[in-house]
Amino acid sequence: MKKPSLLKNSHRLRLALAAVVFAGLGAWLLPSFHSPSPTAAKIVDEMEAVAGGAHQGFRRNHAKGQCISGHFESTGNALEISRASLLQPGKVPLIGRLSAAGGDPAQADAHGMIRSMALRLAGDDGETWYMAMNSVPVFPVNTPEGLYEQLRASIPEYGGTGPDPKKMQAFKSAHPEVRPFETWLAAHPGSSGFDNTAYYSVNAFRMTSAQGQVHFVRWSMVPETPYKPMTAAESSDPDFLAFGFATQLEQGPVRWHLMITLAEPGDVTTDATVRWPEGRRQIDAGVLVIDSQQSQVEGACRDVDFNPLQLPTGIGPSDDPLLLARQAAYAESHRRRINEQSAH
């Protein structure tokens, strides 16, 4: 099979800019009395437009994926910075989802350069921790307005397969904060599998210890399997991610380490386009163990809204305007697909 033209470098970056909207932002709107901001419904409408229309019954972001299950085994090391019961030593069951960016559930895997991992950890005490992580450690924009402009610029041109290059260039010229995102993508080609990808929280969060001390953090899931870039053969296989992960599971569970990075005074906690300097202290909070994969149509993750603002006691959001505004559009996207499933 001929490699799709979408994989050419210049178009890959434009596609990725559109795809990151699906990769974990969800959307940005919360009710506002200070500006005529678009509603959550309008933002989801724009997401559908970027995907070439709504695919009924499927997620508006990362439509193609599969359910996973397993457990998180906490080391207890993170208790010094958070009183969250889910960080107590021991095992916590989880369900989750692995996916590639894009709003089309039938797209070839090679088109979704950004990978995503969503998790729901649930303790016996009723506490839950939802995570939505991307394989890129930064977002392309840092304000709600920037996200809206990105969505508008990412809508495919009439009769085309990608956004209007002039509109996308105008967007990037107006938003120089997009450069770290582009630089990362250029230096980190899409991985050969879900199992050898690191996943990042991207936004900062606030952790509070039992003593009331507050620490700003970001976290990542770091794989025990070494990273490998996608090969030419894999790029021509439309479903290599799911089949590859199933093959890995036949050999045994797949594991990641939950690494929590602590901010230092002066580190930016409200701008998702800015990475913290290397050398920040990290805590190995435990091991994520995935031992099963299921179809997203029949698996336990099907109807779960992996909203990253559903957090346990001891973990809270930072003041990042994108992070704080995600809940409304996550709910809107979830409402649409659940209603569509019920209608059939």
Side-chain angles (χ1 to χ4, degrees):
M1 180 183 296
K2 183 179 179 181
K3 186 180 293 186
S5 61
L6 285 176
L7 295 182
K8 293 181 180 179
N9 288 339
S10 60
H11 204 166
R12 285 173 63 128
L13 289 177
R14 293 200 300 271
L15 178 65
L17 282 168
V20 78
V21 177
F22 296 92
L25 280 173
W28 54 270
L29 179 80
L30 287 179
S32 172
F33 300 99
H34 303 290
S35 64
S37 298
T39 63
K42 288 184 178 180
I43 290 296
V44 176
D45 287 344
E46 296 299 328
M47 291 183 173
E48 293 176 355
V50 174
H55 296 270
Q56 294 200 356
F58 289 91
R59 298 170 192 265
R60 272 38 179 186
N61 51 30
H62 282 230
K64 185 178 183 181
Q66 50 273 330
C67 298
I68 54 175
S69 57
H71 67 270
F72 172 66
E73 187 168 355
S74 174
T75 60
N77 293 340
L79 289 176
E80 65 170 288
I81 61 171
S82 175
R83 64 178 184 270
S85 61
L86 297 173
L87 292 173
Q88 293 282 346
K91 295 182 180 180
V92 179
L94 65 87
I95 62 173
R97 190 169 182 270
L98 294 170
S99 58
D104 182 356
Q107 74 175 9
D109 287 345
H111 291 182
M113 293 179 294
I114 300 171
R115 317 280 186 250
S116 179
M117 172 186 282
L119 301 173
R120 184 186 71 185
L121 282 62
D124 293 336
D125 58 359
E127 291 275 24
T128 57
W129 185 1
Y130 287 66
M131 305 183 202
M133 298 169 284
N134 301 333
S135 59
V136 180
V138 292
F139 282 152
V141 293
N142 53 15
T143 66
E145 294 77 14
L147 176 58
Y148 180 72
E149 292 170 17
Q150 179 192 352
L151 278 166
R152 297 294 297 168
S154 300
I155 296 174
E157 58 183 328
Y158 182 77
T161 58
D164 183 330
K166 291 183 179 179
K167 291 181 180 179
M168 181 54 68
Q169 185 56 51
F171 160 77
K172 292 195 289 185
S173 296
H175 292 275
E177 72 272 17
V178 76
R179 291 170 188 161
F181 176 81
E182 289 188 307
T183 300
W184 174 273
L185 281 180
H188 299 79
S191 62
S192 64
F194 286 128
D195 62 307
N196 61 6
T197 299
Y199 300 94
Y200 304 89
S201 69
V202 185
N203 302 97
F205 291 80
R206 180 186 287 109
M207 289 192 170
T208 305
S209 71
Q211 294 74 36
Q213 295 177 319
V214 175
H215 297 270
F216 285 98
V217 304
R218 286 172 172 161
W219 59 73
S220 58
M221 287 292 179
V222 179
E224 292 189 352
T225 306
Y227 161 82
K228 292 181 180 179
M230 178 176 59
T231 65
E234 287 163 342
S235 70
S236 64
D237 180 347
D239 301 303
F240 75 90
L241 288 171
F243 286 115
F245 196 72
T247 299
Q248 292 297 320
L249 288 176
E250 289 176 356
Q251 302 173 24
V254 181
R255 296 157 56 97
W256 288 261
H257 286 256
L258 173 57
M259 303 300 297
I260 300 176
T261 302
L262 280 66
E264 293 188 3
D267 286 343
V268 176
T269 61
T270 59
D271 189 336
T273 69
V274 178
R275 297 189 71 193
W276 296 339
E278 296 292 335
R280 293 294 182 258
R281 184 188 171 203
Q282 291 190 313
I283 296 174
D284 187 340
V287 180
L288 175 71
V289 181
I290 302 301
D291 53 26
S292 179
Q293 172 178 294
Q294 310 89 35
S295 162
Q296 68 173 358
V297 176
E298 301 174 347
C301 79
R302 188 190 71 171
D303 297 334
V304 177
D305 176 14
F306 291 101
N307 192 316
L309 296 185
Q310 294 184 248
L311 300 164
T313 302
I315 304 176
S318 67
D319 292 332
D320 186 324
L322 293 175
L323 179 61
L324 292 175
R326 292 167 74 170
Q327 188 170 11
Y330 267 76
E332 173 64 17
S333 177
H334 183 260
R335 182 192 66 79
R336 291 188 187 192
R337 66 185 178 86
I338 295 302
N339 287 345
E340 291 161 356
Q341 290 169 3
S342 300
H344 289 82

